[in-house]
Amino acid sequence: EIPYIPIEFTLFFSRGKTNVEVGNDLLAYSKICFQKVIRRYERLLAMIQPVMFITIAIGIVSMYAAMLLPMYKMIGDLR
């Protein structure tokens, strides 16, 4: 009933296995959970990376425009 402890933990301790067997089962479970976290992280990174790339690109283009447009306007006034 504790929210931060998964329900699966009750299965590990209710089977009557030895401490070594429970330890091996928990080790295997931890590897599976770690792989799930890595997959979620990679999926999230795959979504965030293009958004950040576009945001940075828009920032760079706007900075160049802010620097070059006044210069082009001044060159146009000279003609």
Side-chain angles (χ1 to χ4, degrees):
E1 296 181 14
I2 301 174
Y4 53 86
I5 295 180
I7 298 171
E8 293 89 4
F9 274 23
T10 58
L11 296 174
F12 292 119
F13 299 107
S14 65
R15 294 184 185 169
K17 291 186 176 183
T18 65
N19 288 342
V20 174
E21 292 171 334
V22 171
N24 289 336
D25 289 346
L26 288 173
L27 184 63
Y29 180 71
S30 71
K31 288 180 183 179
I32 291 169
C33 288
F34 183 72
Q35 291 300 321
K36 285 181 185 178
V37 168
I38 294 297
R39 270 189 255 122
R40 287 182 194 162
Y41 172 74
E42 288 175 350
R43 208 174 315 137
L44 181 64
L45 188 62
M47 288 188 302
I48 291 176
Q49 187 176 10
V51 172
M52 291 303 295
F53 178 75
I54 290 170
T55 304
I56 292 170
I58 290 171
I60 290 172
V61 168
S62 64
M63 285 176 24
Y64 272 115
M67 290 186 319
L68 295 178
L69 284 179
M71 185 175 67
Y72 287 141
K73 185 176 180 183
M74 191 184 328
I75 291 172
D77 289 342
L78 294 177
R79 289 184 181 173

